[in-house]
Amino acid sequence: MAYRAIVELGGVIATARAQLVDVLVARGATAREARARAAELAPRRPSSLVAAVAAVARGEMTRDALVALAGDLAPAWDVASPTFAETPALLDDAIARARARPAPSPEPDAPLDLAAEIALARAAADAAERDDLLFARAQATVRRALLRVAAHLGLDPADIFWLPFADLGAASPADAAHLAGRAAAARAAAARAALWDMPLVVDRTDETRRVAGDRTDRTDRTDDARVWTGDGLGARAAGPAARIEQLGDAARVPRGAVVVTRAVTPAMAVVVEGAAAIVCEHGSLLDHGAAMARELGIPCVVGCAGITDAVVDGEWLEVDGDTGRVARNAAP
């Protein structure tokens, strides 16, 4: 029943967020124009981690309240990823950097003829944030339980996350060596799988070929590419690339860097505070990456397939949110 409720809530949120886009398309906008306009009209998520960190920085919320709200979040949706309650220095650092961020611009007034759709989109976007917080709480509960099992068995805490639940119910401390060996084997298998170059599209029907073509036509995915094009918002920014390859390994990015990542999670707000721009391989202008960038007041470009593997840390990137272009260039 719980799983069914989660699925149904996700569908309700997606449907609610799509209504504003559908209305804009019906009025003559292209799908891309409609998504960009919808993103402009629903920029705030009061329950987001960005908003909470900013509230602490402005003295409107206590640090303890922030830990209570976001302590169960982790950089990745993975029980093996330490939570912010376990790594509070990340929150403290984000608060310190948020104090240098200008106050956000007022939320735009809703056009009267779109007021109902905009109110629904804003409510849906914030509901998605609260849904993520509930998911993080459940994930953290599982993490704490597994860590207690590891302590009981005498296992390295890092090993417990590589073992099937079914193997843990009847295990005893006498099984520790065997379990550690199984965890090592699972870790090695995952490392081998990480080297696979999996296709983005498997069933190349005419329709999927057309969709894939739309994407590859807009993005040069070779390592020699100098320009990527996706969907953007915001103005222009430039800075050294800071790649986040594994969300669970994310650490704070240097101030003024251009964050390059495959995907964005709500918890990444802690490590990207102070960045100049966000560039993401996946997602849309209605997803976490673009919403986070709006709240941080920085440009964002999504849909830049292959860019994470193509760029190297420190190389200079120029991001144009208006045109959705990301360009390699020599540092000034």
Side-chain angles (χ1 to χ4, degrees), residues 13-325:
I13 290 173
T15 300
R17 296 178 74 172
Q19 286 193 22
L20 176 57
V21 175
D22 292 342
V23 169
L24 293 170
V25 169
R27 295 185 180 185
T30 67
R32 190 185 304 182
E33 291 169 345
R35 288 192 296 269
R37 181 60 174 154
E40 293 173 357
L41 292 171
R44 302 283 184 265
R45 303 168 301 163
S47 300
S48 72
L49 183 54
V50 177
V53 169
V56 177
R58 294 192 300 265
E60 300 168 358
M61 183 180 189
T62 67
R63 178 187 179 278
D64 288 345
L66 174 63
V67 174
L69 173 72
D72 285 339
L73 281 168
W77 295 123
D78 186 344
V79 293
S81 183
T83 66
F84 291 141
E86 297 171 76
T87 55
L90 288 174
L91 289 176
D92 292 333
D93 186 58
I95 294 167
R97 285 179 284 136
R99 292 193 175 103
R101 174 158 47 99
S105 58
E107 193 164 62
D109 294 332
L112 293 179
D113 59 338
L114 290 173
E117 290 82 1
I118 292 172
L120 182 61
R122 291 176 178 177
D126 198 59
E129 292 302 310
R130 288 184 275 120
D131 183 41
D132 286 338
L133 289 172
L134 290 173
F135 184 90
R137 189 173 301 169
Q139 178 175 280
T141 300
V142 174
R143 175 178 171 81
R144 288 190 288 269
L146 287 173
L147 290 174
R148 286 195 295 270
V149 172
H152 168 70
L153 296 176
L155 276 176
D156 185 324
D159 286 345
I160 198 71
F161 304 110
W162 293 94
L163 297 170
F165 285 176
D167 290 358
L168 300 176
S172 71
D175 302 317
H178 171 68
L179 293 173
R182 292 199 60 183
R187 191 181 288 111
R192 291 193 298 271
L195 299 176
W196 298 344
D197 186 14
M198 301 297 292
L200 293 178
V201 177
V202 176
D203 180 14
R204 298 303 297 272
T205 62
D206 288 343
E207 176 63 16
T208 56
R209 187 178 296 111
R210 183 189 64 77
V211 173
D214 287 348
R215 176 65 68 196
T216 53
D217 286 347
R218 293 196 293 123
T219 305
D220 184 346
R221 297 180 59 198
T222 68
D223 287 350
D224 294 330
R226 300 200 66 82
V227 177
W228 293 263
T229 306
D231 293 329
L233 60 83
R236 295 181 178 182
R243 296 160 65 248
I244 299 178
E245 291 190 83
Q246 300 293 330
L247 297 179
D249 298 332
R252 77 158 284 194
V253 301
R255 184 180 295 279
V258 173
V259 176
V260 179
T261 183
R262 290 185 172 85
V264 173
T265 67
M268 279 179 61
V270 166
V271 299
V272 304
E273 182 74 56
I278 297 174
V279 177
C280 187
E281 293 198 13
H282 304 297
S284 77
L285 293 181
L286 301 180
D287 291 334
H288 286 301
M292 189 179 297
R294 288 195 305 272
E295 291 172 330
L296 292 171
I298 60 177
C300 177
V301 178
V302 300
C304 292
I307 192 170
T308 309
D309 290 332
V311 303
V312 297
D313 285 325
E315 73 172 301
W316 198 258
L317 296 179
E318 296 179 349
V319 180
D320 188 336
D322 289 330
T323 62
R325 289 168 63 86

